Amino acid sequence: MEPALAWRDGHIVAIDQTLLPHEFRLLDIATTVELIAAIKRLAIRGAPVLGAAGALGVALAHRQAAREGWSAGRLRAELDQIASARPTAVNLSREVAATAAARDPEAAALAHLEKGTALSIAMSQLGADFLLRRCPGRPLRVLTHCNTGGLACLGWGSALGVIRALHERRALQHVLVDETRPLLQGARLTCWELGQLGIEHRLICDSAAPFLIARGEADAVVTGADRIAANGDVANKIGTFSVALAARHAGIPFVVAAPESTMDPDTPSGEHIPIELRAAAEVTGTAAPEGTSALNYAFDITPADLVTAVVTERQVIEVTTVRSG
Amino acid sequence: MEPALAWRDGHIVAIDQTLLPHEFRLLDIATTVELIAAIKRLAIRGAPVLGAAGALGVALAHRQAAREGWSAGRLRAELDQIASARPTAVNLSREVAATAAARDPEAAALAHLEKGTALSIAMSQLGADFLLRRCPGRPLRVLTHCNTGGLACLGWGSALGVIRALHERRALQHVLVDETRPLLQGARLTCWELGQLGIEHRLICDSAAPFLIARGEADAVVTGADRIAANGDVANKIGTFSVALAARHAGIPFVVAAPESTMDPDTPSGEHIPIELRAAAEVTGTAAPEGTSALNYAFDITPADLVTAVVTERQVIEVTTVRSG
């Protein structure tokens, strides 16, 4: 599969994520203006991918500066514009600053890209090792939520990376994909990525997941994480708690795959993690009567006692022992 | 609120449910041909409402027969056509047969309509009594799933009837409405009905419900039922299990409101209830890549041990004792 982001002949090549799944188009980005536009219109998205876009953006700006004879002031102004293209994405501005401070920005950007990719593959393999130890003897049916593959992360992704590693070991039967309302990242992006990888999958409504788990139609649940508190509580896309609770009820593992950088030792527990409330219109769409109020939390908190293990690029942290089925 | 179905001056007056929530239009149905068309295009829907439409259809046909001088054979043929307008809705054909066998079909049809309405109001009051005993001392925040009001049932409905009874007693704070994917009956119909009744409500994604329940944002969950097995297992719209499990986890009541006719003593338990698998397209819509497989169960089974009580028009059956929070 094409990576979400690559560096080719001094250009950035990116999958235009606004067109997926109906059209696959690669953007060839040669200038900072093109990069900023692509970030602003969400053609490039996902926190780790935005970080890499920031790093590569510095390399791109240096090439353009050499080509067009920019002053040092002009270069600095361009970098500032890249860094602020998405004000809330801390990864973007952080990686622009880190790469700009490097002696050789292009080498630093490529190293960042390579490291992120390697990290995701290491995490994927550790996760597959863990699941195969936990659920030996049969090809697994794995349920996942939201989009956690190469489009949102680098390389193989997080939870979807674990699924890919199982598939490459011929240890995967199929994937149950939560559609992930309200924005349908599961239906739009995860189904597309699994299709690209030739991995068998079935789309389900989010509310069907707990029932299918209870009915014995999944051997394990794997998701990503947006933040992990010091006590092991996990903030992730809304709906994660629901499948974690069902996994516990059914006695199957609920595994979180996330890089070490997701762990936040300064936040003691989930109740200290602020949960973003997003616009009602994402939920009401055109179906509900005009003016309907909605309560649209973008994330939820899964308490540590429902988490079987957290898998990072370095380790597997077993949080709880799964109840026998 | 206008009833889903009424009898006025020898005509059937029905809410055109295909236009909700964006347009409210009453159909004035004077002939059997018009009635059959309205049933086939789902302008009239919901099993109890279809049963009443069958009963009123017999009265309508008798009026038309008298006006137009139909033969007995013609009348019989028209009744057969009404009965088979929706082949899977057993209520429709059952009520056509029952009403046609009555000495005075028009009186029998009106009695059926009146009985169904009275039954739903009795059930609603019993449900409100039960919840107020269980959760005393504060206006309640009630979460519900799918559409169970006057549009689908007669009168006040089942679960939505309980909510209406709480509202009329000034014992309701607000309703959390699951959108109810894939067909969005919660977003489209329940929000519309609550709006008509002036009841405060907030629409939520189905996958948010378990988290909101765990967070303490609901005092009780009330749903309807499609079938209740002899052991108390409940078949209902997909997603019901998920909120029942969350209610148990949070220690709040999960109450099922359904008429006695929903109880099926011939089915020993939930595993004997066949679950309808519907078309993938309902889930994939236009979001997923073309050709994506989906696993689209229309209903799920909530085991009796997650059900706090079943409320019918005659009684409250307490199935389990709620764990203290």
Side-chain angles (χ1 to χ4, degrees), chain A residues 114-200:
Chain A
E114 204 172 307
K115 195 181 142 199
T117 304
L119 173 162
S120 101
I121 295 171
M123 178 165 61
S124 302
Q125 301 294 3
L126 279 177
D129 292 346
F130 176 76
L131 279 176
L132 291 176
R133 276 202 311 279
R134 269 304 174 102
C135 315
R138 60 185 185 281
L140 299 181
R141 300 157 306 163
V142 177
L143 187 143
T144 192
H145 191 70
C146 203
N147 177 251
T148 57
L151 287 173
C153 312
L154 293 171
W156 289 13
S158 56
L160 219 54
V162 175
I163 286 167
R164 180 170 172 176
L166 289 170
H167 171 72
E168 301 208 341
R169 299 181 193 188
R170 301 181 178 275
L172 183 75
Q173 185 170 319
H174 63 246
V175 184
L176 294 173
V177 180
D178 280 1
E179 60 175 356
T180 317
R181 284 279 296 153
L183 297 182
L184 298 170
Q185 292 94 334
R188 292 191 297 114
L189 303 176
T190 302
C191 285
W192 181 80
E193 289 195 68
L194 290 170
Q196 293 295 305
L197 293 165
I199 297 178
E200 207 191 320

Side-chain angles (χ1 to χ4, degrees), chain A residues 42-65:
Chain A
L42 309 185
I44 299 172
R45 55 156 278 283
V49 162
L50 280 172
L56 292 176
V58 176
L60 191 76
H62 275 266
R63 290 262 187 155
Q64 198 178 353

